[in-house]
Amino acid sequence: MIVRQFLQWLRHASPGERAEATSALARAYLHSDLSPADLSAAEGAMIMLLDDPSPLVRGALAQVFASAQKAPPVVVHALAADQPDVAIPVLSRSPLLSDEDLVDLFATAQPDAQVAIASRAMLTSPLAAAIAEVGCAQACLTLLENPDASIAVFSVDRIVERFGHLSAIRESLMDRDDLPMATRQALLAKLSQTLAGFVTARHWLGSEHAEYAAREACEKATVALAADTPYEEISELMRHLRQSGQLTAGMVLRALLSGNVVLFEEALAELTGMPIERVSAYIQDKHISGFRAIYAKAGLPDTAYPAFREAIAALRDGILLGETGGVSHLKRRMVERVLDACAAERRDDMASLLALLRRFAVEAAREEARMFCDDLVANDQVAFMPHIDEPRLVA
């Protein structure tokens, strides 16, 4: 009887009045002691209200049923497919929407609705994978910032692939403690591409020059990143670099000239498919013929071989003894020795290699000077630190 009177009243009520009455009806459905007949009638009335032309009415239903376990499923599913300002409360909180429902809704949802889904508590990895695959940038950022979301590594990689050029995405990812080093390197590559595009668009550099500079900067950053990479992640980082086309002769040579033998050996193991133990044995063998064989198997260019050969000889001679700065920077004495040896061969096909080694030499000299000046300033600060007398006891 009450529901019948409610329906008759609706015909003449304003949208605001209808919304207020609809909210009361929905709360009564959830919390009042209605008979089965009244519950059925109330549910029918609310299903009818799904066709109300005013979003205020449908929104009133959504607000009441957003978190309700006992809400009518048919009403909740209809509200979830409504316009965003009606659907968002349900999409962000309703326990009646399964992962399958949400994935289906997400595919055609507008950005605001996608963000609502990405903010859900206890968000599962299959739903996170769908968001990473087709979600807008804001939805992906919301997913990354959702502390309750379970996100697989491949989903993170997909977000990097799609939106790694956006600073907000990069910053959110770099703040994650569980981010694999391969993914961090992918972010570095995205950043270098973004910077190259930026300087080209500003006409500060030609596109070819900008891309070349960005690539070298990325290689430098990658070697520095690898220096901080746990040993168990190095092989995965090398696999990522090879698959993305970044494991070049220039990067491998940079690693060797920085004294990062672990990275050098892992790179050769990845390029040759040989066990790391065999690669290490060939490199440490005093007969250079073994290294020459795995160098060829790795597919590295013949023109760069003299640089690698001389660098390995320098390592065996102990050229890195007494060097500071770890393995994240080029070592000046080593670079200059390799440059001198390659220049002495006077081969016409080594022009590009010599140009690369000269750039390495300049970079190494600048880094050495920077570290020297930093140490000098630090020592001066210690030397000129004001002396503070110890307190004296007064008898």
Side-chain angles (χ1 to χ4, degrees):
M1 180 65 70
I2 295 175
V3 174
R4 185 181 299 115
Q5 294 172 347
F6 173 77
L7 293 175
Q8 291 174 348
W9 173 81
L10 282 177
R11 297 176 182 177
H12 308 289
S14 67
E17 291 171 334
R18 296 201 307 274
E20 186 176 348
T22 297
S23 178
L25 178 63
R27 291 196 301 272
Y29 181 90
L30 292 176
H31 307 298
S32 298
D33 189 17
L34 299 178
S35 67
D38 285 339
L39 282 173
S40 179
E43 182 174 335
M46 289 184 293
I47 292 174
M48 184 207 69
L49 289 168
L50 293 171
D51 294 324
D52 193 289
S54 173
L56 292 175
V57 176
R58 306 192 306 278
L61 280 175
Q63 289 293 344
V64 175
F65 288 152
S67 303
Q69 185 72 48
K70 295 181 179 180
V74 65
V75 174
V76 169
H77 283 81
L79 291 171
D82 209 315
Q83 63 191 63
D85 55 344
V86 173
I88 281 174
V90 174
L91 292 175
S92 61
R93 303 197 298 274
S94 177
L96 301 182
L97 296 175
S98 67
D99 277 1
E100 292 76 12
D101 295 328
L102 291 165
V103 169
D104 185 59
L105 289 163
F106 190 90
T108 56
Q110 296 183 34
D112 288 349
Q114 289 189 346
V115 169
I117 294 173
S119 67
R120 287 177 65 91
M122 306 303 292
L123 193 146
T124 63
S125 56
L127 181 53
I131 295 172
E133 186 64 34
V134 300
C136 65
Q138 188 59 43
C140 289
L141 178 60
T142 301
L143 172 66
L144 293 173
E145 294 177 344
N146 184 345
D148 291 331
S150 175
I151 313 174
V153 173
F154 72 85
S155 296
V156 175
D157 290 340
R158 182 59 175 148
I159 293 175
V160 171
E161 182 181 350
R162 297 180 63 219
F163 299 118
H165 61 286
L166 300 177
S167 60
I169 295 286
R170 288 197 307 272
E171 290 169 8
S172 179
L173 284 168
M174 294 300 274
D175 286 340
R176 298 177 70 94
D177 295 331
D178 59 344
L179 196 68
M181 285 299 180
T183 305
R184 291 184 183 275
Q185 197 285 326
L187 285 171
L188 285 176
K190 281 287 185 180
L191 176 59
S192 69
Q193 294 168 10
T194 302
L195 291 176
F198 178 78
V199 298
T200 300
R202 293 282 193 236
H203 303 292
W204 293 344
L205 290 174
S207 59
E208 185 175 348
H209 190 181
E211 291 173 5
Y212 189 85
R215 184 169 61 252
E216 279 210 336
C218 183
E219 289 181 354
K220 178 180 178 181
T222 298
V223 172
L225 179 68
D228 295 327
T229 300
Y231 180 75
E232 59 272 15
E233 291 189 42
I234 288 289
S235 60
E236 180 62 32
L237 177 60
M238 293 302 102
R239 187 175 303 111
H240 160 74
L241 291 173
R242 179 180 58 79
Q243 291 174 348
S244 59
Q246 298 181 76
L247 195 55
T248 62
M251 178 176 288
V252 178
L253 182 59
R254 175 184 283 275
L256 182 57
L257 295 178
S258 299
N260 195 333
V261 179
V262 172
L263 179 57
F264 175 59
E265 291 179 349
E266 290 284 356
L268 288 180
E270 178 63 31
L271 290 170
T272 60
M274 296 171 59
I276 185 65
E277 296 79 12
R278 288 188 62 193
V279 170
S280 180
Y282 278 125
I283 291 174
Q284 296 174 15
D285 190 350
K286 63 180 180 179
H287 300 294
I288 200 66
S289 59
F291 171 70
R292 185 70 178 92
I294 65 169
Y295 183 89
K297 186 176 177 63
L300 296 172
D302 290 339
T303 53
Y305 174 73
F308 285 92
R309 180 195 61 208
E310 188 62 29
I312 290 176
L315 285 174
R316 291 171 178 167
D317 291 344
I319 197 170
L320 294 182
L321 293 176
E323 285 282 359
T324 60
V327 294
S328 59
H329 304 292
L330 292 165
K331 301 298 181 283
R332 183 176 181 179
R333 286 190 300 158
M334 192 170 183
V335 173
E336 290 178 347
R337 169 170 166 170
V338 172
L339 174 59
D340 290 343
C342 291
E345 296 199 16
R346 301 181 180 278
R347 285 169 44 184
D348 293 338
D349 61 349
M350 291 172 59
S352 296
L353 174 64
L354 291 173
L356 176 65
L357 290 172
R358 291 189 187 101
R359 290 196 299 274
F360 281 176
V362 171
E363 181 184 324
R366 294 173 67 173
E367 185 63 36
E368 184 181 88
R370 190 177 299 115
M371 289 191 296
F372 172 78
C373 292
D374 288 344
D375 290 343
L376 199 61
V377 171
N379 291 335
D380 285 346
Q381 288 176 341
V382 172
F384 290 101
M385 185 177 295
H387 178 69
I388 301 176
D389 291 332
E390 294 182 0
R392 291 178 294 177
L393 295 177
V394 179

